[in-house]
Amino acid sequence: MSLTIGDTAPDFHAQTTEGPLNFHDWIGDGWAVLFSHPRDFTPVCTTELGYMARIKPEFDRRNVKIIGLSVDPLDNHTAWAADIADTQGAAPNYPMISDSDYTIAKAYGMLPAETAGDPTSHTPAQLATLRNVFVIGPDKTIKLVLIYPMTTGRNFDEVLRVIDSLQLTAAHQVATPAQWTPGADVIIAGSVTDEQARDLYPEGWHAPRPYLRIVPHPAFG
């Protein structure tokens, strides 16, 4: 069954390129991004893994851990990392899960229950649904799910933008409008009454409609 926003991210034990880990323990009290790949040595994924390695400091700054997943065995992950470093200028500097028995992929609804057999006997096209991004909060619930086709590289700058929004809205009772970027105006959450909003925003707000109450970014207002 597919997972969606608000569901608890399934916990699991996994073998990774940085040793065994228990997922929820590894997340700790921070945030996490889990992103999956159909197979190792696939072209689009090669560019994605390299880009994530280059921008990992941006995730670190937000207290977000990143972890990749593929069904290939760990020795393939190691060989692929060398290719990624050579072609993309950076090797993965975060763990890569070996989900060779498909347990995690199935738990996260990325592969059907009947998937079986040696993972290296499957073509990437047969595992094309392993192209998900999950953003998971400190409460271990899923905050974002993105699914991409194999032919379209993922936009991880957008993932960072969404994390900025999620972390802002977790700390303040606001929502972010279309095309929002950090520092731009925000919307008072619908769960906040006008009376409560007056306490939060004594200088008032701009309201083109009663349900659309716009205020400066809390850190910049």
Side-chain angles (χ1 to χ4, degrees):
M1 183 174 64
S2 296
L3 297 173
T4 190
I5 292 170
D7 289 344
T8 298
D11 197 11
F12 56 79
H13 180 79
Q15 299 299 321
T16 81
T17 52
E18 297 185 3
L21 61 78
N22 289 299
F23 190 51
H24 283 192
D25 292 341
W26 176 80
I27 294 173
D29 60 359
W31 296 66
V33 172
L34 168 66
F35 64 116
S36 59
H37 307 271
R39 284 290 314 277
D40 290 8
F41 309 107
T42 48
V44 172
C45 295
T46 297
T47 66
E48 294 171 338
L49 290 161
Y51 188 74
M52 283 292 267
R54 295 198 302 273
I55 67 168
K56 183 177 179 291
E58 290 297 320
F59 288 94
D60 293 340
R61 187 166 65 83
R62 294 163 170 82
N63 193 28
V64 180
K65 293 180 177 180
I66 54 179
I67 190 166
L69 177 148
S70 172
V71 299
D72 277 56
L74 287 177
D75 57 349
N76 277 6
H77 286 0
T78 301
W80 193 19
D83 283 358
I84 294 163
D86 186 48
T87 63
Q88 307 303 310
N93 47 9
Y94 45 85
M96 280 287 292
I97 295 166
S98 174
D99 188 28
S100 56
D101 61 1
Y102 317 106
T103 298
I104 302 165
K106 292 176 182 179
Y108 277 75
M110 295 185 287
L111 288 177
E114 62 269 19
T115 304
D118 179 358
T120 62
S121 69
H122 292 291
T123 66
Q126 290 172 322
L127 304 172
T129 51
L130 280 167
R131 292 280 295 155
N132 287 34
V133 178
F134 297 95
V135 174
I136 300 160
D139 61 357
K140 310 304 184 290
T141 66
I142 294 170
K143 309 299 184 183
L144 175 75
V145 182
L146 297 172
I147 306 173
Y148 279 71
M150 286 181 61
T151 52
T152 302
R154 287 172 271 198
N155 186 337
F156 291 107
D157 292 340
E158 167 64 3
V159 174
L160 284 170
R161 187 190 76 93
V162 174
I163 289 170
D164 285 336
S165 172
L166 289 167
Q167 293 184 341
L168 178 71
T169 58
H172 303 276
Q173 293 175 294
V174 297
T176 57
Q179 304 303 113
W180 177 86
T181 55
D185 289 350
V186 298
I187 299 166
I188 300 172
S191 58
V192 177
T193 67
D194 282 353
E195 182 178 1
Q196 292 169 328
R198 290 187 192 97
D199 291 334
L200 294 170
Y201 302 98
E203 295 184 3
W205 53 84
H206 171 58
R209 292 293 185 274
Y211 58 83
L212 182 58
R213 299 167 295 173
I214 301 168
V215 291
H217 186 292
F220 295 89

